Amino acid sequence: VHLVESGGDSVQAGGSLTLSCVASGYTNGQYLMGWFRQAPGKEREGVARIDKEGSRRYADSVKGRFTISQDNDKITLYLQMNNLKPEDTGMYYCAASSVRSWVGSVFPPEYEWNYWGQGTQVTVSS
């Protein structure tokens, strides 16, 4: 499975961006798709995830501002980001996981995510 992100840009606080992630290869085995981000000097963190049934989960920091979605053929993953804040700045990664059941944290740990994209940079200025 190959994942390619796009859509990152520099915007001012309060602005919006939509990130895209195109998946190619054998994706049928991947049950979860998600977005992660990594700010300079910080660990990578989960932002949003969606499963094959369309169930969505979000990090508390982005609830009400970000929306994760997929097109009907599950090839393209999106992250609509509204009311962006400077703390949203970071490299955004798309990831795919074959985990079908997870109890506890919203995002399975990184070792459970089988495939990662190269990332797309989002910079939000105040």
Side-chain angles (χ1 to χ4, degrees):
V1 176
H2 188 54
L3 304 173
V4 179
E5 305 96 333
S6 63
D9 205 345
S10 296
V11 297
Q12 290 193 327
S16 298
L17 281 176
T18 299
L19 305 183
S20 300
C21 170
V22 177
S24 60
Y26 183 71
T27 61
N28 286 348
Q30 305 308 307
Y31 185 74
L32 289 178
M33 295 293 294
W35 287 98
F36 291 74
R37 68 185 180 190
Q38 186 168 23
K42 294 188 176 182
E43 292 187 354
R44 189 156 53 185
E45 62 177 358
V47 176
R49 67 169 176 92
I50 186 169
D51 65 25
K52 281 198 171 183
E53 282 74 42
S55 177
R56 299 168 171 83
R57 299 289 299 275
Y58 298 92
D60 288 343
S61 59
V62 305
K63 281 180 182 176
R65 300 188 298 121
F66 290 11
T67 302
I68 187 171
S69 62
Q70 280 183 303
D71 58 2
N72 288 338
D73 57 10
K74 306 289 192 294
I75 289 178
T76 305
L77 182 73
Y78 301 98
L79 185 68
Q80 173 67 44
M81 306 186 294
N82 298 325
N83 190 22
L84 283 161
K85 303 176 180 180
E87 52 264 41
D88 295 319
T89 294
M91 185 70 77
Y92 282 69
Y93 299 89
C94 170
S97 172
S98 58
V99 170
R100 298 186 63 85
S101 177
W102 186 256
V103 178
S105 58
V106 173
F107 299 93
E110 287 202 12
Y111 62 80
E112 293 284 8
W113 296 84
N114 309 101
Y115 301 98
W116 294 84
Q118 298 278 35
T120 186
Q121 178 68 37
V122 172
T123 303
V124 185
S125 57
S126 57

